[in-house]
Amino acid sequence: VKCFQDKDGPLKPWVVTQLRDSMEPGENGIIVTTNRIGQEAREVADRDSEKPINFIDVTDFVQLVFENQENLTDQELWALGLKRSITGR
């Protein structure tokens, strides 16, 4: 898994290439980004079926957080800005 934040527009293809270069054939990669996924990055991700790479963009991440909110600890909720203080502290 690679987490990437870029404020200069959609995710760039070099991020996908960097993750793929660190993978062995048969491994799966996931890139989590706080931005959109650029079309070129998606095309690069689709080029090598032996090292598949999927994406979680900001919209997917927010949806996953809210779908699984009851499974998160107070500290995790606090870190995500969903709780004013950590219980017991």
Side-chain angles (χ1 to χ4, degrees):
V1 174
K2 179 174 184 64
C3 183
F4 188 79
Q5 180 179 4
D6 186 357
K7 295 177 183 164
D8 295 329
L11 188 77
K12 309 290 190 284
W14 68 264
V15 178
V16 178
T17 302
Q18 185 181 59
L19 176 59
R20 176 165 288 128
D21 288 347
S22 71
M23 295 168 57
E24 297 293 328
E27 291 182 333
N28 295 304
I30 300 173
I31 296 175
V32 180
T33 181
T34 56
N35 210 331
R36 294 175 293 116
I37 312 300
Q39 184 59 35
E40 288 180 79
R42 289 186 189 280
E43 291 169 3
V44 171
D46 290 339
R47 286 187 190 152
D48 188 347
S49 62
E50 289 186 17
K51 299 178 183 178
I53 295 177
N54 292 300
F55 302 99
I56 297 175
D57 66 8
V58 66
T59 303
D60 296 332
F61 179 76
V62 170
Q63 183 174 346
L64 285 168
V65 167
F66 283 106
E67 286 174 358
N68 296 283
Q69 189 171 354
E70 67 277 356
N71 299 320
L72 299 173
T73 66
D74 286 346
Q75 186 168 355
E76 290 166 335
L77 291 168
W78 177 81
L80 291 167
L82 299 174
K83 194 164 189 70
R84 289 184 186 261
S85 64
I86 301 174
T87 303
R89 287 192 177 181

